[in-house]
Amino acid sequence: MSNESLANLLKEERRFEPPTELAAAANVTADAYERARADRLGFWAEQARRLDWATEPTETLDWSNPPFAKWFQDGELNVAHNCVDRHVQAGHGDRVAIHFEGEPGDSRTITYADLQREVSRAANALTELGVRAGDRVAIYLPMIPEAVFAMLACARLGAPHSVVFGGFSADALATRIQDAQARVVITSDGGYRKGGASPLKPAVDEALTRPGTEDVRSVVVVRRTGQDVDWTEGRDVWWHELVDRQSEEHTPQAFGAEQPLFILYTSGTTGKPKGILHTSGGYLTQAAYTHHAVFDLKPESDVFWCTADIGWVTGHSYIVYGPLANGATQVMYEGTPDSPHKGRWWEIAEKYGVTIFYTAPTAIRACMKWGDDIPAKYDLSALRILGSVGEPINPEAWVWYREHIGGGRTPVVDTWWQTETGSIMISPLPGVTATKPGSAQVPLPGIAATVVDDEAREVPDGSGGYLVLTEPWPSMLRTIWGDDQRYLDTYWARFENRYFAGDGAKKDDDGDIWLLGRVDDVMLVSGHNISTTEVESALVSHPSVAEAAVVGAADPQTTQSICAFVILRGTAAESEGLVDELRAHVAQQLGPIAKPKRVLAVAELPKTRSGKIMRRLLRDIAEDRQLGDVTTLTDPSVMGLIQEKLPSAP
Ligand code: ATP
Ligand code: MG
């Protein structure tokens, strides 16, 4: 971004007050902000008491060597005990922890008592394989209950896990195994996705032929699909042969609050993936608190469903650690939302009476595209809160979500956070905040965030700039695994004493925060910094557009010009008239400066495997360059289809 601040173009006037009943019974009320402001550390010390500590911490934060934080340092706890055993001990052993739904239609109900047995057995199994506290375990599994058992078994032993998304290639898996020097890999023969069985074990076999993976002594294989697998004697062992014969008893040992809990590699759209390190006490405190506060979770009555994959941080914090620390009942689903039909998610939500639903804008936009009539066929009346995460949510998609999934009643919480932050940082509170479609709005109680300009000065309300976090928080990353210098350079070098998130943002006239996309994606048009998010949201607010991606292409007159790629809705057809209409629509919504020079209708957009639009590749196309690295794309063939469209560009 240049010296000019990010322009503030989008005006959104719609407001939605919290439902009266929800507000009256909300877990967290407005006074929490006040209490946290008056005594931030006291507030977090109070939240840490949600956990069961073997040794209560006396010190909240050690910030004597910034930016290397230590939270609750002299406290000791076992994370798995907190997520499992203590609920059984409190008499909730019969409560369902996980309603598992496999893609082919198989299902499994796991109570907290079942979970305790499964996790204990898995912990005993890993111990038998020689896993000790501090050893790293790589987990490469589909969305099946064993993924949760494996993660919690590692946590129980103080052995940090590194979960690698099951859709990643052998290469990606190998670099992550090498970087973390994992000793054990837990995988499966395969998993079900998009209506078929897709293999996983071959990628592990291939990854383990690469140099630097020699530390791996054992590969534990869950049988999920029954596919044939190659077998390396002495290294490979079936989960059911190893785990099922173990004792159901395992006494968890308490570890220091700063014991590493997991390493998770960010999706790595550029450069070598960063191994984000999270530790135990602070991470679990904030994961549990935010899950309680943002989703207003009532463990006795709610059925929570987060659709993320366990390979992303959202799956770590809002399938495994937050919900289980809070004793929640949740749904876990293996497959894709359109297998075998486009109503699958809503069918599952109806079946289990889901009350809280958390997903990503990309999924919401896909559902919009598929049509309102699909969710309308299902009874979604149990839903009371909807959440969004992963990208800025276009106001129109937000309103559609509330209307067509939430029956026009449910608050929508747009939650901003990152792998690095460990848990939610900026979000409305469903019983407190009057929500604004498209805005994450307010830092949670105990969190300090603001927007600054190039010189690190806080921007006034009504202006844009860079999102920064100004105080340490309990679930912050502790470092990049094995690379403290990269931790300093990436997050703490841009502004002194402030964490640089890498996202553009603005504060509106009420001081509420709007996320405007990645700083690298910001466009510079005739001396104005313009956010991709705002132009995309303006396009999506046109009735013919389901989804849009916007990039700045080099332009001799204006530095960059705006090039928009749109997916049309339902019956809308591409025509010169429609292109002109869309350009005029953006100009009318945001002003003439934001008018796209080109608008191209496409069938698909390039997305990362976590569903985020990859604007970098669209920029390559708009500037007629050789395409950059496409290996992290869900479907690389999408790029060919888009390129074919180009000659018809105006
Ligand atoms: P990499 O850092 O490797 O490029 P990534 O940033 O996509 O990967 P994540 O940590 O999963 O990996 O995503 C965090 C980013 O997602 C944020 O920095 C932000 O750009 C975006 N994001 C997440 N939630 C929101 C939200 N509610 N509104 C706007 N943007 C969001
Ligand atoms: Mg990132």
Side-chain angles (χ1 to χ4, degrees), residues 229-241:
V229 290
D230 288 342
W231 207 253
T232 303
E233 283 307 328
R235 184 196 72 183
D236 297 352
V237 48
W238 285 109
W239 173 285
H240 58 268
E241 285 175 5

Side-chain angles (χ1 to χ4, degrees), residues 249-308:
E249 311 271 315
H250 179 271
T251 310
Q253 179 195 338
F255 297 98
E258 285 296 339
Q259 175 76 15
L261 179 62
F262 64 86
I263 303 166
L264 183 61
Y265 292 82
T266 53
S267 39
T269 41
T270 47
K272 180 171 165 252
K274 302 182 279 281
I276 304 300
L277 177 68
H278 284 288
T279 60
S280 301
Y283 170 79
L284 197 62
T285 295
Q286 195 177 331
Y289 172 69
T290 52
H291 183 252
H292 161 88
V294 173
F295 299 109
D296 191 44
L297 180 92
K298 315 282 197 243
E300 315 75 33
S301 53
D302 275 317
V303 180
F304 178 77
W305 184 11
C306 166
T307 67

Side-chain angles (χ1 to χ4, degrees), residues 97-179:
I98 299 172
H99 291 292
F100 170 72
E101 187 82 10
E103 198 186 78
D106 55 321
S107 64
R108 194 171 160 190
T109 305
I110 298 152
T111 64
Y112 275 93
D114 296 333
L115 191 60
Q116 186 180 32
R117 285 188 285 270
E118 299 286 358
V119 173
S120 297
R121 278 202 197 107
N124 286 325
L126 291 177
T127 304
E128 187 182 306
L129 296 179
V131 174
R132 300 288 175 264
D135 290 347
R136 274 82 61 200
V137 175
I139 299 177
Y140 184 67
L141 282 172
M143 283 288 288
I144 55 175
E146 284 78 5
V148 180
F149 307 157
M151 289 165 76
L152 290 171
C154 290
R156 203 171 181 93
L157 299 176
H161 54 70
S162 163
V163 181
V164 180
F165 173 55
F168 276 144
S169 65
D171 270 335
L173 176 62
T175 51
R176 285 157 177 76
I177 290 172
Q178 288 155 354
D179 188 71

